[in-house]
Amino acid sequence: MAALPQSLELTRKLIAFDTTSRNSNLELINFVRDYLHAHDVQTTLIPDQTGKKANLYGTIGADDRPGICLSGHTDVVPIDGQNWSSDPWALTEKAGKLYGRGSCDMKGFLGCVLAAVPQFSKTRLGTPLHLLFSFDEEVGCLGVRRALSVIKDLPVKPKGCIIGEPTLMQVAIAHKGKKSMRAHVHGKECHSSLAPKGVNAVEYAALAIAHLRSMGRRFAAEGPFDHDYDVPHTTVHTGTIQGGTALNIVPKDCTFAFEFRHLPVQDPEALYAEFKRYVETELTPEMKKIAPETGFGFEQISAFPGLDTPEDSEITTLAKNLTQANGTTKIAFGTEGGLIQEIDIPTVVCGPGSIEQAHKPDEFVDIAQIAQCEAFIERLRGKLAA
């Protein structure tokens, strides 16, 4: 089974737009909007506060009844520091693979969706098809929140959603949530020969990080567990740390970033509260005994909820039917699915390619996966037809 030339050409055009999250995505969004309008699809542009980025939402078919939404993000991760064998902003076909930034995550899926639009527009649909194109997914699922704030108040909203993140066209019904934080440790500097008179921000950061590690070890040993995941428990991770100016100065400042990747059954706020309670009861009092102005400060970097869709839900049953497979899976990486589910739109994840290829140099998607995705969407058209 070979992918359709129209799908590949549309994917080629999408990849040519450098929509790295730090950039505007409006050029791509305007291209998609013009394309949809050319096929009589009415759309709603949902911009961010700056007007430099936007989501796009459209419906094919009657707007007086709930339909199925196909959703994907338009932004991609940076190519900075990566060694590519070909131009990352030009789709390169080689040995049955399509190379380019976003080919897998997730412009290949968006190309398949757009390629199907002409046939959907010509079909008398008993159930409408909704399309949602978002921005800034790669930096914390930020952009879609603005779109969902609009969609949730529409007279009619989708009754189910399929996000085309790369799952090798398997139906994923769940993924972990994430809460990432940055801690600022404020100490008191002095000459290192007088260390007891200072408050060592690096050392107190180390104690806090050690507590985070002990939390992670506890989850690994005691759970809760869900063995459908590769890592069947909540994880706690410290990723960066900066502090101190010289060895002979007790450091005044230290900053570290940490995250919880939690099973959907666990409350990330409770996890964070447990850690913060340790800091406030065990560490901060010690620091303030020496210098009252010292202590910890925290700021959230990003957060998104986990996804947990029942095996017997309507959207799961539909997606399994469209893949012509009975099984489902749970994925390690996060998506916008948990946020979409929060506004009562049941959601699954199913798209072409492997997450193993995403974010890397020479990112690719197999053409066979694109063909499977096209067949999936064509079966969906048959299901939605009146």
Side-chain angles (χ1 to χ4, degrees):
M1 182 165 51
L4 298 175
Q6 185 184 14
S7 167
L8 301 188
E9 183 56 31
L10 284 163
T11 301
R12 185 185 310 278
K13 290 179 178 178
L14 294 175
I15 287 176
F17 296 108
D18 178 358
T19 52
T20 305
S21 301
R22 62 186 172 227
N23 300 334
S24 170
N25 74 331
L26 288 184
E27 194 175 358
L28 180 150
I29 287 292
N30 288 334
F31 165 77
V32 172
R33 182 174 57 172
D34 291 345
Y35 175 86
L36 293 177
H37 288 179
H39 294 285
D40 300 319
V41 181
Q42 295 305 306
T43 63
T44 300
L45 195 70
I46 308 172
D48 71 351
Q49 293 177 327
T50 70
K52 296 179 180 178
K53 298 184 181 185
N55 304 281
L56 190 67
Y57 183 69
T59 298
I60 304 175
D63 60 4
D64 61 348
R65 67 199 71 171
I68 300 299
C69 182
L70 296 179
S71 179
H73 62 83
T74 60
D75 62 313
V76 297
V77 296
I79 61 168
D80 303 17
Q82 294 186 340
N83 184 22
W84 282 71
S85 301
S86 58
D87 183 351
W89 309 114
L91 188 69
T92 301
E93 182 177 345
K94 182 180 179 182
K97 296 178 173 63
L98 301 175
Y99 292 86
R101 173 56 87 220
S103 58
C104 175
D105 184 17
M106 54 183 299
K107 291 179 177 179
F109 171 76
L110 299 182
C112 291
V113 171
L114 293 177
V117 164
Q119 286 303 314
F120 270 94
S121 294
K122 294 173 186 175
T123 302
R124 185 168 174 266
L125 299 177
T127 301
L129 178 72
H130 309 286
L131 305 175
L132 175 58
F133 300 81
S134 68
F135 67 91
D136 281 2
E137 187 272 348
E138 296 288 8
V139 288
C141 299
L142 302 181
V144 76
R145 298 168 199 258
R146 197 164 182 87
L148 297 178
S149 70
V150 173
I151 294 170
K152 71 179 178 63
D153 293 328
L154 293 176
V156 178
K157 65 183 181 184
K159 63 178 180 178
C161 180
I162 301 169
I163 301 177
E165 292 272 13
T167 65
L168 290 171
M169 293 307 298
Q170 298 177 58
V171 179
I173 59 173
H175 64 67
K176 293 179 180 180
K178 176 182 174 182
K179 182 179 180 68
S180 60
M181 301 290 300
R182 183 174 290 109
H184 300 269
V185 189
H186 308 287
K188 180 184 178 182
E189 65 185 353
C190 66
H191 194 285
S192 61
S193 65
L194 303 173
K197 295 185 177 182
V199 177
N200 192 314
V202 169
E203 290 183 356
Y204 277 100
L207 291 170
I209 291 168
H211 185 78
L212 287 169
R213 184 172 184 268
S214 72
M215 290 178 67
R217 288 166 67 90
R218 187 178 84 235
F219 300 144
E222 302 175 8
F225 299 105
D226 184 338
H227 291 283
D228 288 338
Y229 289 95
D230 287 344
V231 179
H233 53 82
T234 292
T235 59
V236 188
H237 162 72
T238 302
T240 64
I241 184 168
Q242 299 88 28
T245 54
L247 181 58
N248 61 356
I249 302 174
V250 171
K252 180 180 65 174
D253 294 295
C254 187
T255 301
F256 63 94
F258 62 97
E259 68 174 25
F260 301 98
R261 286 191 181 260
H262 57 92
L263 295 175
V265 297
Q266 285 192 281
D267 177 7
E269 297 307 322
L271 301 178
Y272 171 56
E274 176 188 335
F275 169 66
K276 194 175 180 185
R277 187 162 53 249
Y278 165 77
V279 168
E280 291 176 345
T281 59
E282 300 294 330
L283 302 185
T284 303
E286 284 185 12
M287 300 168 72
K288 290 187 177 298
K289 279 183 181 179
I290 299 172
E293 71 273 17
T294 61
F296 279 70
F298 298 97
E299 62 175 321
Q300 182 167 289
I301 301 170
S302 66
F304 55 79
L307 174 69
D308 193 10
T309 302
E311 183 79 38
D312 60 356
S313 71
E314 182 180 352
I315 191 64
T316 304
T317 301
L318 172 64
K320 287 196 294 184
N321 186 285
L322 298 177
T323 59
Q324 298 183 330
N326 291 325
T328 59
T329 187
K330 297 181 181 181
I331 51 180
F333 61 93
T335 77
E336 297 165 334
L339 292 165
I340 296 172
Q341 194 175 54
E342 282 188 338
I343 65 165
D344 297 322
I345 301 175
T347 300
V348 296
V349 185
C350 184
S354 167
I355 197 65
E356 291 290 332
Q357 310 308 328
H359 298 193
K360 294 180 178 179
D362 291 341
E363 176 184 347
F364 71 84
V365 62
D366 284 313
I367 292 177
Q369 283 281 302
I370 295 296
Q372 285 186 42
C373 184
E374 291 171 347
F376 177 98
I377 295 172
E378 176 58 20
R379 292 187 199 108
L380 176 63
R381 185 172 70 89
K383 291 287 185 183
L384 301 186

